[in-house]
Amino acid sequence: SIQVQMDDVMLPIHLSIPLALIVNELVANALKYAFPAGQKGKILITLNRGRGQSYEFVVHDDGVGLPASIRHEKAKTTGLHLVNLLAQQIDGSVSVQRKNGTSFKITFPFEIK
């Protein structure tokens, strides 16, 4: 199942498009890899105001987890490389947690410099 929890925010188009592409890539990866052999699970997508003048955007799945051998910041796969490039485009930073599945968190400012 997919759940979405978002603050009531209006994002400008220069933030919305990269985020839409990021969520598409991360959800597609979760559906393809996190739940092998028809395993059931959840994908949670959140967008909240973070500390200071920032947003926190998270895509979390409770699947098998991203292997430790895959480093998102040095990704050779097209999808994760694209996520990193799009996060840079919005002055964001990407972090990954491998606990109870996989979480990708992208923190980005309200305004791009």
Side-chain angles (χ1 to χ4, degrees), residues 47-95:
L47 175 64
N48 300 298
R49 291 184 184 270
R51 295 180 181 164
Q53 297 291 316
S54 67
Y55 291 106
E56 289 182 354
F57 175 71
V58 178
V59 177
H60 171 78
D61 69 69
D62 63 356
V64 298
L66 186 68
S69 62
I70 296 177
R71 309 283 305 166
H72 77 87
E73 64 277 2
K74 297 180 182 181
K76 295 182 179 165
T77 63
T78 303
L80 290 181
H81 184 67
L82 178 64
V83 168
N84 288 320
L85 288 175
L86 290 166
Q88 288 175 3
Q89 183 178 328
I90 60 172
D91 292 337
S93 62
V94 181
S95 62

Side-chain angles (χ1 to χ4, degrees), residues 86-107:
L86 290 166
Q88 288 175 3
Q89 183 178 328
I90 60 172
D91 292 337
S93 62
V94 181
S95 62
V96 177
Q97 285 192 349
R98 294 170 169 92
K99 185 176 181 180
N100 301 320
T102 303
S103 291
F104 279 84
K105 179 168 86 170
I106 299 169
T107 304

